[in-house]
Amino acid sequence: MGVGSLSHLRTSAFGFSERDTDNPAEVLYFGIAGRNEDKTRRKCLESTELHKTTLPRCPVTSTHPFERNQCGMFILRPRIHLRLQSSLTRSLIRVASYSTMTSQSTLPQRTNPLLRSLYPATITYTSQDLLRQDEGSDMEWYSQPRFVQHIDDGAIVSLKSYYDAIIKPNHSILDLCSSWTSHLSADLKPQTMIGYGMNKLELERNSHLTKHFVKDLNTNSSLEEVPTESIDTVICNVSVDYLTQPVSIFKEMNRVLKVGGTAHMAFSNRCFPTKVVGKWMRMDDEGRRQWVGGYFWASGGWEDVEEVILKEGKPGFWGASEDPLFVVRARKAASK
């Protein structure tokens, strides 16, 4: 995408830039690092190609000078990578990306049980486990709509393919922490799909939702708007790491699901570092999958808790890398 006129760009308080447009695909998303923030942003905007980036990876251990800024957004590639990419032809970049995406999407997924025996007899979470760097108002922080992708194209393809196999047109779906996209294929239209999210404009843009509610689940974990045992499938995309009352929310998920219904927590290794629960930043990918599995067991009423590794992350061209993608899922057990 060419720069065009710089007058069409605006920079929000959250450290990213957006083009005034109704097309989400045209939104530009930047993390500006280093002391010379204005200078760096200007150089990015003046380059011949603008590269959409996604959220930073976690845990944050690197001291690379192009890693972090005060807003918690990251530049994910060194400056040399940006310059090299802008000098290469668009066709070369697209071919490389397409071949990578195709090969990844055909890889078989790996599924492992997260048995109850892996966890303590009593699963508890301390206040420090769930404490965030930024405990300010989430409604205020999310008041600005973000029409951006939070995982890369390969991970999106994998997630859509996964949901194609899980969700049927006659299903009733609950999308927790929803936004402008639920990562469902365009031709997959569940008869009922309810979304809970933090931003009204994002939820209104989501064409899959048949109903939505703006609610901060960290201050009110009730899903009282959804009748008991009315939902076939619950999904939550790249957001389970932001829940500060996870056990309460997982109990509500269990309540609204029909017996035998399933819940799917999809996540990668990217996040807004100041808004995830503190423990998340101190674990590796395997630890995070087990941590989310613990939410199911701690809340009760679940069976067949397991992790699904949809896509392994791996290094890419000139410092770029591909996002991993995981799902931790469970089935609502019948009452004993």
Side-chain angles (χ1 to χ4, degrees):
M1 186 190 311
V3 174
S5 171
L6 296 184
S7 63
H8 293 296
L9 295 171
R10 66 182 186 277
T11 303
S12 80
F14 298 101
F16 59 85
S17 298
E18 299 174 355
R19 182 182 297 272
D20 292 317
T21 178
D22 290 330
N23 183 357
E26 293 182 2
V27 175
L28 309 173
Y29 183 38
F30 291 97
I32 306 300
R35 295 180 179 178
N36 299 323
E37 180 174 340
D38 293 337
K39 182 178 180 181
T40 307
R41 179 184 290 111
R42 191 163 54 251
K43 287 185 177 180
C44 286
L45 297 179
E46 291 172 353
S47 64
T48 58
E49 293 290 334
L50 294 178
H51 300 282
K52 181 182 70 176
T53 65
T54 53
L55 298 182
R57 304 188 190 282
C58 52
V60 182
T61 56
S62 171
T63 57
H64 193 285
F66 274 78
E67 180 187 61
R68 189 173 185 178
N69 76 343
Q70 293 178 350
C71 294
M73 312 308 297
F74 290 45
I75 282 247
L76 303 178
R77 303 181 178 96
R79 183 182 298 176
I80 187 173
H81 180 220
L82 290 176
R83 289 179 175 174
L84 281 170
Q85 279 198 325
S86 61
S87 66
L88 291 171
T89 64
R90 292 175 66 92
S91 59
L92 176 60
I93 297 297
R94 284 175 176 167
V95 168
S97 176
Y98 179 79
S99 63
T100 299
M101 187 186 307
T102 303
S103 63
Q104 284 291 334
S105 65
T106 58
L107 289 176
Q109 63 189 38
R110 291 192 288 120
T111 303
N112 304 307
L114 294 173
L115 301 175
R116 182 64 180 83
S117 58
L118 293 172
Y119 300 87
T122 302
I123 303 174
T124 58
Y125 301 97
T126 68
S127 58
Q128 288 299 312
D129 289 337
L130 303 175
L131 185 68
R132 303 169 298 173
Q133 293 181 40
D134 178 7
E135 287 291 350
S137 168
D138 287 342
M139 290 301 292
E140 181 178 345
W141 201 81
Y142 288 100
S143 61
Q144 176 77 16
R146 294 171 170 84
F147 297 113
V148 298
Q149 299 288 6
H150 297 287
I151 48 179
D152 66 18
D153 291 344
I156 292 171
V157 168
S158 295
L159 189 53
K160 286 184 177 181
S161 178
Y162 174 79
Y163 285 146
D164 282 346
I166 296 295
I167 298 174
K168 307 305 177 186
N170 63 341
H171 278 185
S172 295
I173 309 300
L174 175 60
D175 183 5
L176 293 181
C177 307
S178 186
S179 65
W180 67 274
T181 178
S182 295
H183 297 303
L184 271 58
S185 297
D187 57 353
L188 178 57
K189 297 287 188 180
Q191 64 178 13
T192 302
M193 186 159 178
I194 303 170
Y196 281 86
M198 298 286 287
N199 188 277
K200 184 175 183 289
L201 294 178
E202 289 186 20
L203 296 172
E204 289 175 345
R205 181 75 66 87
N206 190 325
S207 61
H208 281 97
L209 298 181
T210 58
K211 184 184 296 185
H212 65 262
F213 302 99
V214 178
K215 178 181 281 192
D216 182 356
L217 295 176
N218 285 338
T219 60
N220 180 3
S221 59
S222 170
L223 304 176
E224 59 190 349
E225 297 85 357
V226 184
T228 298
E229 295 192 354
S230 62
I231 298 295
D232 294 292
T233 308
V234 175
I235 64 174
C236 180
N237 296 324
V238 292
S239 295
V240 68
D241 43 334
Y242 300 109
L243 300 178
T244 61
Q245 300 186 61
V247 175
S248 296
I249 293 173
F250 276 55
K251 286 181 178 179
E252 277 289 88
M253 286 164 41
N254 188 273
R255 177 187 65 80
V256 303
L257 273 172
K258 301 173 184 177
V259 174
T262 56
H264 306 259
M265 306 293 109
F267 56 93
S268 184
N269 63 354
R270 297 189 184 274
C271 63
F272 291 103
T274 61
K275 281 297 184 181
V276 296
V277 296
K279 187 74 172 182
W280 196 264
M281 300 298 291
R282 303 191 294 271
M283 297 184 290
D284 60 13
D285 289 337
E286 181 180 3
R288 294 182 189 114
R289 296 194 297 270
Q290 291 187 7
W291 181 261
V292 175
Y295 291 164
F296 283 110
W297 290 122
S299 58
W302 303 95
E303 61 186 5
D304 300 332
V305 180
E306 57 189 14
E307 63 178 14
V308 184
I309 301 173
L310 291 176
K311 185 172 180 290
E312 296 275 15
K314 68 178 185 178
F317 177 71
W318 281 99
S321 57
E322 297 178 4
D323 291 350
L325 187 65
F326 316 110
V327 174
V328 176
R329 65 190 183 188
R331 186 181 309 277
K332 179 175 179 175
S335 300
K336 296 181 179 179

